[in-house]
Amino acid sequence: LVVTLRHFLKHKLTSAIKIIGLALGLAASLVVMIVNYSELTWDAFWPDADRLYLVESYNINQTNSSSTPHQLKRTIEENIAQISAVARLTRSILLINLPDNPSNATNTFQQSVTRADHTLVDIFSFNTLAGDLDVFQNHSNAAIISKTVAQKYFGAANPIGKTISIATSQLQGPNKQATNSETDTANLFKVVAVIEDTNLRSNEVFQVIIPYQDVADRYATDWNNLQVKTYVKLAAGVAPLAVDQKLAAIAEQNIVNNLNPAALAQFKLISIADVYLSGVDAYGNTRNIWMLYLLGLLIIAISLVNHINLTLSGYLQRQREIALRRLAGATNFKLFLLFWAESLVYLLGAFFIALMLVEPLMPKLADQLGLRLQVGLLQLNGLTGSVLLLLLISSLIIALYPCINFGNIKPARILHANQSKDSIKNIRLRKLLLTLQLVCASGLLVSVGLVAMQMQKLTEFRPGYNIDQIVFVHGQQLMSANIGQLNQFKSRLEAVPEIKAVARMTPNLLGMNAQVEKVSRADQPPENSRFISTLHVPDYNVFNLLQIPLIAGELPATGDSFLINGGKMPPAAITPSRNIILCNNALHLFGFASAEAAVGQQLLLFRGGRAIPFNIAGITGYLHVGDLNGGPKPCLFQQTQFGNAMSWGIRHDTNKIQPLLDQISTIWAEVFSGTPYSWQLKETVANYHKHQQLLANFIYAFTGIALLISLLGIYGLAGLNAQKRAREIALRKLHGASAWQIILLLTREFSLLVIIANVIAWPITIYAISRWLENFYNKIDMWLWAPFFCVLAGVIAFTITWLTVSGQALAVAMSKPADSLREE
C-alpha cells in the first residue's frame, strides 16, 4: 500500500487520469445496474412470490388481456385443487366521504379503491400495522387502508373502527339512465386494518381495499366479458404448467368465440414477478434491459481497458523496481499481491468517486426516468453484493496480466542495461487494447446519430389525427352526474374562446383498446369476411375533435345520443346509428375500387351469431390506429351509446395550456364540484415511447462518457509514448526535423489505430441498430443515414485524436534536445 501511494504521488497526472476514467466507467455501470435492478425486481418482494400468479386471457383474434370473467374464480375453486387461494380484484378512482371526521364531513375525496375478494389477504401477505385482517374476511362492509391513507384522512387518530362512505353510483358504475347525485345512496365501510404502504415497484398498489360484490346481471355470467383481475396462489410444489392445462380445459368448455369458433380462447398463468416485463399489459421492455446491460458492459470495458493500458505503460518504467524485488526474493504470488493491492486502491478510490457522482443524482435521475426506488444505493438488496463482485473481478483482471508478464522477468538483463525494455508483445497488446477502446467509442458515436434520427422521426410522426392540441379531463364526479350537468359542462366549455371542439371519447391513442370483429361485404359470401378493429365512439364529433379528414362521404350528424336522449336508449335499437366510417386502409380488404365506390355500400358485422348490416357513410384519410410502433390496423368507426362516465376530449388553439386547464377546472368545480384529472394527448404519445427514449438518453450520455474516457486514455498514452521516444525525437531535431514533422511522426501510429477501429465498429454498429429498428414501423432509412454518421463519427474520432496527440507531440517537439540527451 505504501508503494502504491508513493507511485500515485509521483505520477499524479497519470494516476488522476486512471482514477477519473475508472470512476466515470463505474458511475455509468452503477446507473445501469440500478435502473435494471428497478425494472427486474417488480413484485418480487412479496412473500411466496414464486407461488403467486396472475391469470391472463389469450385469444387469437381478440386483444389479449390481463382481465378475466367474473365467474372464473368460482370455477377454479371447484375444479383446480392445486390452487390454494384465488381472488378477484378491480381498481378504480372513486369518490369517498368521511362521515366520522367532522372537519372533513363536507369534503369529497378522489381515492384509488380496490374491490377484492376476502381471499386477497391469503394471496398477498400484507404487513399489518393496526387492526385485524381476519375481520375483512368475515364482514361485507369492512375496509383495509394503507398507512399513507390513514395519515391523510385521520391524522394521528386511531383509524380502526372509523367509517368511510362511497356512493352506490361509484360502486355500480354509470347507469344507462341518467342519475341524480342527490338521490344516490351511501355505502358505509368500517376500517378494520391498516397495512404498510405497498412497495412502489408493484403492479398492484393497495390504498383502500373493500369487499368485492358480485354483480347480478348478464355480464356476471358472460365468459366473454373480461372485467376483473384474477390472482391465484399455487399449493407448495405445484408446477404452473399443470394448472395451465386445467385452465385451458375451463376455457374450452365455457368460452364461445363469436368471432371465430375455430380460435380457442385460453387462460394462462404468469408469475407475479414477470407481469411487469412479460405480461400482456407489460409496462417494461425486456429488450431495453439487455441493451442497457450491453451499454454498461461497453462502458466498464472501455474504462478497464483504458486503465490496463495506462497501467501497462506505467509498469514499463518500473521494470528495474520489479527486477530488484525479484533479486530480493519476491515470488510470483507476492508480485501478484503487489499488483492486486494497487488495482484495489485505484478501484476503491474510483468507486467512492462514482458513489459521490451517482448517489446525489439518483433521486433526480429516478424522477426523470420514471424509476420507483425507495431506498439508497447501498441499501438495495443484492445490488451491493453485485457491485463488490464487479470490483473484485475487475481488480483481478487488472492485476493478472502484469503478474504474468513480469513473472518471468530476468533481473540481471534489466539491471545490466540499466533501462526498461519494452517487448513487441507488450507493444502489440497496448495497441490492441487501445483499438478495442476506440472501437467501442466509434460504435457509440455512430449509434448516437442513428438513434437521434429515429427518435426525431418518432417525435415528428403524425398518425393522421391531431395529437398536439388535445386535452382530456376526467373525474369520478361524472359517475353520479345527471344529464343536465353534463350538457351544461359541454356548453360552458364550448363558450371558451380558446376551445375549438368538445366531445366525449376514450382517452387514449386511437385503436389501442379496439375490439376486433369479423366483417364482410353484404354482397359477398361470409367466407370472404375479414377481421378488423372496431372503434366505438359516442359521437362522430370525435372526427372534428381530432381533425380526422374524410376523403369520401360525410359524417352522420347524429350527435351524442346519450346527452340528446337524456340517457335513454330506443328500445328496439341495437346501436344509435347504423352508419359507420371505414378507414381507407380497409378498402382493399373488401375489394372496393375506390373510396367513392365504397360510400353507400353495406358491410355485415358478425355479432352473437348474427350478421348485422351497416351502411358506409364515409372513408377516412390516412389514419394510423393501434400500436404506434406497429403497422396501422384496418379499422372502422361505429357510434355507440356510452354512459355518463366517458372522458371529455377538448381541442384548443392556445400555447398557454396551464391557464386553460385552470379555467376548465373552475368550470368543472362549478358544475360537478371537486377537481378533475387532466392530461394532454401528446403526453400519452411521449409516455408510449418512454422506454425507447430512456434507451436513447443512455446512449447519448454513455457516448459522451466513452469519448471522455478515450480522450483521457489517448492523452495518457500519448504522453508516455512521447516520453519513451524523447531521445529519438531529440536526435531527429538535431538532424533538422521540424516541429510539424515530429507531430506527424507521433500522430501517425494513433491515426492508423483510429482507422482500424472505425472500420471494425461500423458494420457491428449498423447491424445492432438495424436490429433495434425492427421495433419500429415508422423508421429511418438506414442506408441513407448510416454512411453519413459513419463518416461523421470517423471525422470526430480523428479530430479528437489529433488534437489530443498533437498537444503532447508539440510539447515534446518544442523541448530542448540537450535535456533528453544529457543522461545518454
PDB file of all heavy atoms in Angstrom, residues 64 108 135 157 175 257 259 285 365 370 402 425 447 451 456 485 497 563 594 619 623 671 674-675 707 716 767 776 786:
ATOM      1  N   ASN A  64     -55.300  -9.640 -26.348  1.00  0.00           N
ATOM      2  CA  ASN A  64     -55.011 -10.348 -25.101  1.00  0.00           C
ATOM      3  C   ASN A  64     -55.206  -9.391 -23.927  1.00  0.00           C
ATOM      4  O   ASN A  64     -55.028  -8.187 -24.057  1.00  0.00           O
ATOM      5  CB  ASN A  64     -53.596 -10.900 -25.127  1.00  0.00           C
ATOM      6  CG  ASN A  64     -53.396 -11.895 -26.249  1.00  0.00           C
ATOM      7  OD1 ASN A  64     -54.335 -12.589 -26.636  1.00  0.00           O
ATOM      8  ND2 ASN A  64     -52.194 -11.969 -26.775  1.00  0.00           N
ATOM      9  N   THR A 108     -65.385  15.803  -0.357  1.00  0.00           N
ATOM     10  CA  THR A 108     -65.363  14.541  -1.082  1.00  0.00           C
ATOM     11  C   THR A 108     -63.982  14.375  -1.680  1.00  0.00           C
ATOM     12  O   THR A 108     -63.449  15.302  -2.296  1.00  0.00           O
ATOM     13  CB  THR A 108     -66.425  14.522  -2.197  1.00  0.00           C
ATOM     14  OG1 THR A 108     -67.708  14.711  -1.600  1.00  0.00           O
ATOM     15  CG2 THR A 108     -66.417  13.192  -2.915  1.00  0.00           C
ATOM     16  N   VAL A 135     -60.821  -9.928  10.154  1.00  0.00           N
ATOM     17  CA  VAL A 135     -62.143  -9.305  10.172  1.00  0.00           C
ATOM     18  C   VAL A 135     -62.611  -9.007   8.754  1.00  0.00           C
ATOM     19  O   VAL A 135     -63.803  -9.109   8.437  1.00  0.00           O
ATOM     20  CB  VAL A 135     -62.127  -8.020  11.023  1.00  0.00           C
ATOM     21  CG1 VAL A 135     -63.503  -7.350  11.051  1.00  0.00           C
ATOM     22  CG2 VAL A 135     -61.649  -8.322  12.435  1.00  0.00           C
ATOM     23  N   ALA A 157     -55.143  10.265  14.826  1.00  0.00           N
ATOM     24  CA  ALA A 157     -56.214   9.491  15.460  1.00  0.00           C
ATOM     25  C   ALA A 157     -56.163   8.031  15.015  1.00  0.00           C
ATOM     26  O   ALA A 157     -55.687   7.709  13.920  1.00  0.00           O
ATOM     27  CB  ALA A 157     -57.569  10.090  15.110  1.00  0.00           C
ATOM     28  N   ASN A 175     -75.053   4.277 -14.829  1.00  0.00           N
ATOM     29  CA  ASN A 175     -76.252   3.612 -15.313  1.00  0.00           C
ATOM     30  C   ASN A 175     -76.561   4.034 -16.733  1.00  0.00           C
ATOM     31  O   ASN A 175     -76.132   5.083 -17.208  1.00  0.00           O
ATOM     32  CB  ASN A 175     -77.447   3.965 -14.412  1.00  0.00           C
ATOM     33  CG  ASN A 175     -77.235   3.490 -12.990  1.00  0.00           C
ATOM     34  OD1 ASN A 175     -76.683   2.426 -12.771  1.00  0.00           O
ATOM     35  ND2 ASN A 175     -77.671   4.301 -12.023  1.00  0.00           N
ATOM     36  N   ASN A 257     -66.553 -18.444 -28.815  1.00  0.00           N
ATOM     37  CA  ASN A 257     -65.877 -17.408 -29.587  1.00  0.00           C
ATOM     38  C   ASN A 257     -66.765 -16.999 -30.754  1.00  0.00           C
ATOM     39  O   ASN A 257     -66.881 -17.717 -31.743  1.00  0.00           O
ATOM     40  CB  ASN A 257     -64.520 -17.928 -30.086  1.00  0.00           C
ATOM     41  CG  ASN A 257     -63.648 -16.809 -30.611  1.00  0.00           C
ATOM     42  OD1 ASN A 257     -64.152 -15.835 -31.153  1.00  0.00           O
ATOM     43  ND2 ASN A 257     -62.349 -16.959 -30.440  1.00  0.00           N
ATOM     44  N   LEU A 259     -66.319 -14.526 -32.727  1.00  0.00           N
ATOM     45  CA  LEU A 259     -65.558 -14.012 -33.868  1.00  0.00           C
ATOM     46  C   LEU A 259     -65.113 -15.140 -34.783  1.00  0.00           C
ATOM     47  O   LEU A 259     -65.166 -15.038 -35.990  1.00  0.00           O
ATOM     48  CB  LEU A 259     -64.339 -13.224 -33.365  1.00  0.00           C
ATOM     49  CG  LEU A 259     -64.647 -12.009 -32.483  1.00  0.00           C
ATOM     50  CD1 LEU A 259     -63.360 -11.342 -32.076  1.00  0.00           C
ATOM     51  CD2 LEU A 259     -65.540 -11.035 -33.214  1.00  0.00           C
ATOM     52  N   ASN A 285     -39.736  -3.208 -20.689  1.00  0.00           N
ATOM     53  CA  ASN A 285     -39.265  -3.600 -22.012  1.00  0.00           C
ATOM     54  C   ASN A 285     -38.024  -4.465 -21.830  1.00  0.00           C
ATOM     55  O   ASN A 285     -36.951  -3.970 -21.485  1.00  0.00           O
ATOM     56  CB  ASN A 285     -38.937  -2.359 -22.856  1.00  0.00           C
ATOM     57  CG  ASN A 285     -38.706  -2.712 -24.309  1.00  0.00           C
ATOM     58  OD1 ASN A 285     -37.932  -3.603 -24.630  1.00  0.00           O
ATOM     59  ND2 ASN A 285     -39.389  -2.009 -25.200  1.00  0.00           N
ATOM     60  N   LEU A 365     -32.460  11.513 -11.217  1.00  0.00           N
ATOM     61  CA  LEU A 365     -32.437  10.585 -12.343  1.00  0.00           C
ATOM     62  C   LEU A 365     -33.649   9.660 -12.307  1.00  0.00           C
ATOM     63  O   LEU A 365     -34.275   9.396 -13.331  1.00  0.00           O
ATOM     64  CB  LEU A 365     -31.143   9.765 -12.311  1.00  0.00           C
ATOM     65  CG  LEU A 365     -30.839   8.906 -13.544  1.00  0.00           C
ATOM     66  CD1 LEU A 365     -30.701   9.768 -14.777  1.00  0.00           C
ATOM     67  CD2 LEU A 365     -29.574   8.093 -13.311  1.00  0.00           C
ATOM     68  N   GLY A 370     -38.528   7.847 -14.503  1.00  0.00           N
ATOM     69  CA  GLY A 370     -39.722   7.156 -14.047  1.00  0.00           C
ATOM     70  C   GLY A 370     -39.430   5.908 -13.242  1.00  0.00           C
ATOM     71  O   GLY A 370     -40.234   4.976 -13.206  1.00  0.00           O
ATOM     72  N   PRO A 402      -0.058  -8.018 -15.647  1.00  0.00           N
ATOM     73  CA  PRO A 402       1.310  -7.640 -15.269  1.00  0.00           C
ATOM     74  C   PRO A 402       2.019  -8.708 -14.457  1.00  0.00           C
ATOM     75  O   PRO A 402       3.236  -8.874 -14.562  1.00  0.00           O
ATOM     76  CB  PRO A 402       1.127  -6.347 -14.470  1.00  0.00           C
ATOM     77  CG  PRO A 402      -0.298  -6.325 -14.072  1.00  0.00           C
ATOM     78  CD  PRO A 402      -1.040  -7.038 -15.150  1.00  0.00           C
ATOM     79  N   LYS A 425       5.582  -7.930 -27.719  1.00  0.00           N
ATOM     80  CA  LYS A 425       4.306  -8.445 -27.224  1.00  0.00           C
ATOM     81  C   LYS A 425       3.549  -7.374 -26.452  1.00  0.00           C
ATOM     82  O   LYS A 425       2.339  -7.212 -26.624  1.00  0.00           O
ATOM     83  CB  LYS A 425       4.571  -9.657 -26.345  1.00  0.00           C
ATOM     84  CG  LYS A 425       3.298 -10.302 -25.793  1.00  0.00           C
ATOM     85  CD  LYS A 425       3.608 -11.558 -24.997  1.00  0.00           C
ATOM     86  CE  LYS A 425       4.428 -11.210 -23.751  1.00  0.00           C
ATOM     87  NZ  LYS A 425       4.624 -12.397 -22.880  1.00  0.00           N
ATOM     88  N   SER A 447     -23.944   5.201 -33.225  1.00  0.00           N
ATOM     89  CA  SER A 447     -25.249   4.912 -32.632  1.00  0.00           C
ATOM     90  C   SER A 447     -25.978   6.185 -32.249  1.00  0.00           C
ATOM     91  O   SER A 447     -27.197   6.291 -32.419  1.00  0.00           O
ATOM     92  CB  SER A 447     -25.084   4.017 -31.400  1.00  0.00           C
ATOM     93  OG  SER A 447     -24.473   2.798 -31.739  1.00  0.00           O
ATOM     94  N   VAL A 451     -29.673   6.792 -33.595  1.00  0.00           N
ATOM     95  CA  VAL A 451     -30.738   6.770 -32.592  1.00  0.00           C
ATOM     96  C   VAL A 451     -31.415   8.141 -32.505  1.00  0.00           C
ATOM     97  O   VAL A 451     -32.646   8.234 -32.392  1.00  0.00           O
ATOM     98  CB  VAL A 451     -30.180   6.345 -31.220  1.00  0.00           C
ATOM     99  CG1 VAL A 451     -31.197   6.575 -30.111  1.00  0.00           C
ATOM    100  CG2 VAL A 451     -29.767   4.885 -31.249  1.00  0.00           C
ATOM    101  N   GLN A 456     -36.130  11.455 -33.408  1.00  0.00           N
ATOM    102  CA  GLN A 456     -36.695  12.646 -34.036  1.00  0.00           C
ATOM    103  C   GLN A 456     -37.833  12.273 -34.971  1.00  0.00           C
ATOM    104  O   GLN A 456     -38.852  12.965 -35.044  1.00  0.00           O
ATOM    105  CB  GLN A 456     -35.594  13.396 -34.807  1.00  0.00           C
ATOM    106  CG  GLN A 456     -36.054  14.671 -35.497  1.00  0.00           C
ATOM    107  CD  GLN A 456     -36.506  15.736 -34.510  1.00  0.00           C
ATOM    108  OE1 GLN A 456     -36.050  15.759 -33.376  1.00  0.00           O
ATOM    109  NE2 GLN A 456     -37.395  16.611 -34.944  1.00  0.00           N
ATOM    110  N   GLN A 485     -76.271  18.363 -15.898  1.00  0.00           N
ATOM    111  CA  GLN A 485     -74.903  18.773 -15.566  1.00  0.00           C
ATOM    112  C   GLN A 485     -73.951  18.501 -16.734  1.00  0.00           C
ATOM    113  O   GLN A 485     -73.087  19.328 -17.045  1.00  0.00           O
ATOM    114  CB  GLN A 485     -74.436  18.025 -14.322  1.00  0.00           C
ATOM    115  CG  GLN A 485     -75.107  18.465 -13.030  1.00  0.00           C
ATOM    116  CD  GLN A 485     -74.705  17.593 -11.857  1.00  0.00           C
ATOM    117  OE1 GLN A 485     -74.770  16.366 -11.937  1.00  0.00           O
ATOM    118  NE2 GLN A 485     -74.283  18.224 -10.775  1.00  0.00           N
ATOM    119  N   PRO A 497     -63.261  30.853 -25.612  1.00  0.00           N
ATOM    120  CA  PRO A 497     -62.718  31.192 -26.944  1.00  0.00           C
ATOM    121  C   PRO A 497     -61.582  30.287 -27.409  1.00  0.00           C
ATOM    122  O   PRO A 497     -61.473  29.979 -28.600  1.00  0.00           O
ATOM    123  CB  PRO A 497     -62.231  32.641 -26.761  1.00  0.00           C
ATOM    124  CG  PRO A 497     -63.014  33.157 -25.602  1.00  0.00           C
ATOM    125  CD  PRO A 497     -63.254  32.004 -24.705  1.00  0.00           C
ATOM    126  N   LEU A 563     -76.445  12.165 -24.452  1.00  0.00           N
ATOM    127  CA  LEU A 563     -76.748  13.519 -23.991  1.00  0.00           C
ATOM    128  C   LEU A 563     -78.046  14.036 -24.594  1.00  0.00           C
ATOM    129  O   LEU A 563     -78.826  14.733 -23.937  1.00  0.00           O
ATOM    130  CB  LEU A 563     -75.591  14.456 -24.344  1.00  0.00           C
ATOM    131  CG  LEU A 563     -74.218  14.117 -23.748  1.00  0.00           C
ATOM    132  CD1 LEU A 563     -73.178  15.148 -24.178  1.00  0.00           C
ATOM    133  CD2 LEU A 563     -74.286  14.026 -22.240  1.00  0.00           C
ATOM    134  N   SER A 594     -62.389   2.147 -55.053  1.00  0.00           N
ATOM    135  CA  SER A 594     -62.023   3.493 -54.625  1.00  0.00           C
ATOM    136  C   SER A 594     -62.844   3.855 -53.399  1.00  0.00           C
ATOM    137  O   SER A 594     -63.808   3.164 -53.032  1.00  0.00           O
ATOM    138  CB  SER A 594     -62.284   4.513 -55.742  1.00  0.00           C
ATOM    139  OG  SER A 594     -63.676   4.581 -56.029  1.00  0.00           O
ATOM    140  N   ILE A 619     -65.314   7.631 -45.729  1.00  0.00           N
ATOM    141  CA  ILE A 619     -63.997   6.980 -45.731  1.00  0.00           C
ATOM    142  C   ILE A 619     -62.981   7.978 -45.190  1.00  0.00           C
ATOM    143  O   ILE A 619     -62.917   9.125 -45.646  1.00  0.00           O
ATOM    144  CB  ILE A 619     -63.582   6.526 -47.141  1.00  0.00           C
ATOM    145  CG1 ILE A 619     -64.671   5.671 -47.785  1.00  0.00           C
ATOM    146  CG2 ILE A 619     -62.259   5.769 -47.078  1.00  0.00           C
ATOM    147  CD1 ILE A 619     -64.947   4.367 -47.083  1.00  0.00           C
ATOM    148  N   LEU A 623     -54.860   7.140 -41.701  1.00  0.00           N
ATOM    149  CA  LEU A 623     -55.106   7.057 -40.271  1.00  0.00           C
ATOM    150  C   LEU A 623     -54.334   5.872 -39.709  1.00  0.00           C
ATOM    151  O   LEU A 623     -54.489   4.742 -40.181  1.00  0.00           O
ATOM    152  CB  LEU A 623     -56.603   6.885 -39.996  1.00  0.00           C
ATOM    153  CG  LEU A 623     -57.096   7.190 -38.575  1.00  0.00           C
ATOM    154  CD1 LEU A 623     -56.803   8.641 -38.216  1.00  0.00           C
ATOM    155  CD2 LEU A 623     -58.580   6.910 -38.461  1.00  0.00           C
ATOM    156  N   VAL A 671     -69.749  23.085 -11.906  1.00  0.00           N
ATOM    157  CA  VAL A 671     -70.813  22.221 -12.420  1.00  0.00           C
ATOM    158  C   VAL A 671     -70.936  20.945 -11.601  1.00  0.00           C
ATOM    159  O   VAL A 671     -72.044  20.548 -11.196  1.00  0.00           O
ATOM    160  CB  VAL A 671     -70.568  21.877 -13.905  1.00  0.00           C
ATOM    161  CG1 VAL A 671     -71.619  20.882 -14.408  1.00  0.00           C
ATOM    162  CG2 VAL A 671     -70.595  23.136 -14.759  1.00  0.00           C
ATOM    163  N   GLY A 674     -65.589  19.435  -6.922  1.00  0.00           N
ATOM    164  CA  GLY A 674     -64.392  18.598  -6.974  1.00  0.00           C
ATOM    165  C   GLY A 674     -63.394  19.100  -7.999  1.00  0.00           C
ATOM    166  O   GLY A 674     -63.533  20.182  -8.573  1.00  0.00           O
ATOM    167  N   THR A 675     -62.365  18.292  -8.227  1.00  0.00           N
ATOM    168  CA  THR A 675     -61.279  18.639  -9.145  1.00  0.00           C
ATOM    169  C   THR A 675     -61.072  17.506 -10.141  1.00  0.00           C
ATOM    170  O   THR A 675     -60.979  16.344  -9.735  1.00  0.00           O
ATOM    171  CB  THR A 675     -59.970  18.881  -8.369  1.00  0.00           C
ATOM    172  OG1 THR A 675     -60.191  19.885  -7.382  1.00  0.00           O
ATOM    173  CG2 THR A 675     -58.857  19.330  -9.310  1.00  0.00           C
ATOM    174  N   LEU A 707     -16.296   8.807 -24.878  1.00  0.00           N
ATOM    175  CA  LEU A 707     -15.356   9.710 -25.552  1.00  0.00           C
ATOM    176  C   LEU A 707     -14.410  10.357 -24.548  1.00  0.00           C
ATOM    177  O   LEU A 707     -13.207  10.514 -24.822  1.00  0.00           O
ATOM    178  CB  LEU A 707     -16.129  10.789 -26.313  1.00  0.00           C
ATOM    179  CG  LEU A 707     -16.826  10.345 -27.597  1.00  0.00           C
ATOM    180  CD1 LEU A 707     -17.620  11.497 -28.203  1.00  0.00           C
ATOM    181  CD2 LEU A 707     -15.814   9.829 -28.610  1.00  0.00           C
ATOM    182  N   GLY A 716      -3.054  10.083 -21.973  1.00  0.00           N
ATOM    183  CA  GLY A 716      -2.047   9.428 -21.138  1.00  0.00           C
ATOM    184  C   GLY A 716      -1.055   8.619 -21.949  1.00  0.00           C
ATOM    185  O   GLY A 716       0.163   8.685 -21.725  1.00  0.00           O
ATOM    186  N   TYR A 767     -25.346  -3.220 -37.771  1.00  0.00           N
ATOM    187  CA  TYR A 767     -26.141  -4.429 -37.523  1.00  0.00           C
ATOM    188  C   TYR A 767     -26.956  -4.287 -36.237  1.00  0.00           C
ATOM    189  O   TYR A 767     -28.148  -4.613 -36.209  1.00  0.00           O
ATOM    190  CB  TYR A 767     -25.219  -5.646 -37.419  1.00  0.00           C
ATOM    191  CG  TYR A 767     -25.939  -6.906 -36.988  1.00  0.00           C
ATOM    192  CD1 TYR A 767     -26.735  -7.610 -37.879  1.00  0.00           C
ATOM    193  CD2 TYR A 767     -25.830  -7.373 -35.671  1.00  0.00           C
ATOM    194  CE1 TYR A 767     -27.415  -8.755 -37.475  1.00  0.00           C
ATOM    195  CE2 TYR A 767     -26.494  -8.517 -35.269  1.00  0.00           C
ATOM    196  CZ  TYR A 767     -27.285  -9.203 -36.170  1.00  0.00           C
ATOM    197  OH  TYR A 767     -27.956 -10.325 -35.777  1.00  0.00           O
ATOM    198  N   PHE A 776     -39.723  -0.736 -34.692  1.00  0.00           N
ATOM    199  CA  PHE A 776     -40.499   0.402 -35.166  1.00  0.00           C
ATOM    200  C   PHE A 776     -41.095   0.128 -36.536  1.00  0.00           C
ATOM    201  O   PHE A 776     -40.443  -0.454 -37.410  1.00  0.00           O
ATOM    202  CB  PHE A 776     -39.619   1.658 -35.239  1.00  0.00           C
ATOM    203  CG  PHE A 776     -38.936   2.008 -33.943  1.00  0.00           C
ATOM    204  CD1 PHE A 776     -37.634   1.613 -33.701  1.00  0.00           C
ATOM    205  CD2 PHE A 776     -39.605   2.717 -32.967  1.00  0.00           C
ATOM    206  CE1 PHE A 776     -37.000   1.920 -32.519  1.00  0.00           C
ATOM    207  CE2 PHE A 776     -38.978   3.038 -31.768  1.00  0.00           C
ATOM    208  CZ  PHE A 776     -37.687   2.639 -31.549  1.00  0.00           C
ATOM    209  N   ALA A 786     -26.830   5.801 -42.363  1.00  0.00           N
ATOM    210  CA  ALA A 786     -25.692   5.089 -41.781  1.00  0.00           C
ATOM    211  C   ALA A 786     -24.353   5.547 -42.366  1.00  0.00           C
ATOM    212  O   ALA A 786     -23.406   5.822 -41.605  1.00  0.00           O
ATOM    213  CB  ALA A 786     -25.865   3.585 -41.939  1.00  0.00           C
TER     214      ALA A 786
END
